[in-house]
Amino acid sequence: MKHIKKAACLMLSVWMLAACFGCAGDTDGANIDLEVMGQAMLEVDTTLPDMVARSSKDDDAKDSFSFLSDLSYSKVEEYFYAYADAGTAEEIAVVKLKDKSDAAAMMESLNDHVEARQGTFEEYDPEQVPLTENAVVIREGRYVALIVSEKSGLVQKEFRKFFTTN
């Protein structure tokens, strides 16, 4: 009888531990609302100018996405993209891919986007170049984010928060 109680307690402990880790966060991000995430990322950087937001929910979603990336839109489940209304360098984007195996290609595409923008700013607004030089492209599973802002560290932290407290 002692062995059965011990085994039952051990099983219960393992089950509770597994349940607790399951509550720790939505590590694959299946239930993240990208517009909520994107807005939270924008709000954390109080230095951002007025931003124009686009998303996969817009009627012209595919066309708007093409300004951000040349990755095939068929690989994208959804996205949020905000850019400075005044035409300055600030941008924040999050792309949720259908398959995380496309994350490296998405990251490369976003880096190419930043490089192209950097070239444009070198020509017509050199003061914006440092922002593009400090652009950050990060990923979490099948989510890839682009951050071009003065407070990119805070914005990165906000992005990552969605995978640990969701």
Side-chain angles (χ1 to χ4, degrees):
M1 190 67 147
K2 247 183 176 179
H3 296 295
I4 293 173
K5 280 185 180 179
K6 210 178 215 182
C9 284
L10 183 60
M11 290 284 281
L12 183 60
S13 296
V14 169
W15 178 79
M16 287 177 64
L17 190 60
C20 286
F21 279 118
C23 296
D26 183 10
T27 57
D28 73 348
N31 299 316
I32 294 174
D33 182 326
L34 282 194
E35 289 194 36
V36 170
M37 176 191 266
Q39 287 301 324
M41 291 169 69
L42 290 173
E43 289 170 9
V44 77
D45 183 350
T46 58
T47 67
L48 289 171
D50 288 340
M51 303 288 278
V52 176
R54 300 283 184 241
S55 80
S56 49
K57 295 179 182 176
D58 297 339
D59 290 337
D60 61 345
K62 186 176 180 180
D63 290 336
S64 292
F65 183 78
S66 69
F67 291 110
L68 175 67
S69 171
D70 61 2
L71 186 77
S72 171
Y73 191 65
S74 66
K75 295 181 179 196
V76 174
E77 185 167 319
E78 61 180 311
Y79 75 91
F80 173 89
Y81 175 38
Y83 54 89
D85 190 29
T88 54
E90 295 88 353
E91 293 181 285
I92 292 179
V94 182
V95 179
K96 180 181 181 181
L97 299 164
K98 292 178 181 175
D99 187 333
K100 69 180 178 182
S101 68
D102 292 319
M106 183 74 239
M107 292 176 83
E108 183 177 340
S109 177
L110 291 175
N111 282 315
D112 290 346
H113 167 77
V114 169
E115 200 172 292
R117 299 250 311 150
Q118 188 172 4
T120 301
F121 285 121
E122 285 172 351
E123 292 293 317
Y124 86 90
D125 193 356
E127 290 179 11
Q128 298 299 310
V129 173
L131 271 177
T132 60
E133 289 174 338
N134 294 318
V136 176
V137 177
I138 58 173
R139 79 172 271 207
E140 191 69 47
R142 61 187 178 133
Y143 291 78
V144 179
L146 166 66
I147 303 164
V148 183
S149 79
E150 288 289 332
K151 306 285 184 184
S152 62
L154 288 174
V155 180
Q156 286 179 69
K157 192 173 183 179
E158 188 66 24
F159 170 76
R160 295 213 188 274
K161 221 163 74 171
F162 278 82
F163 298 95
T164 57
T165 60
N166 193 18

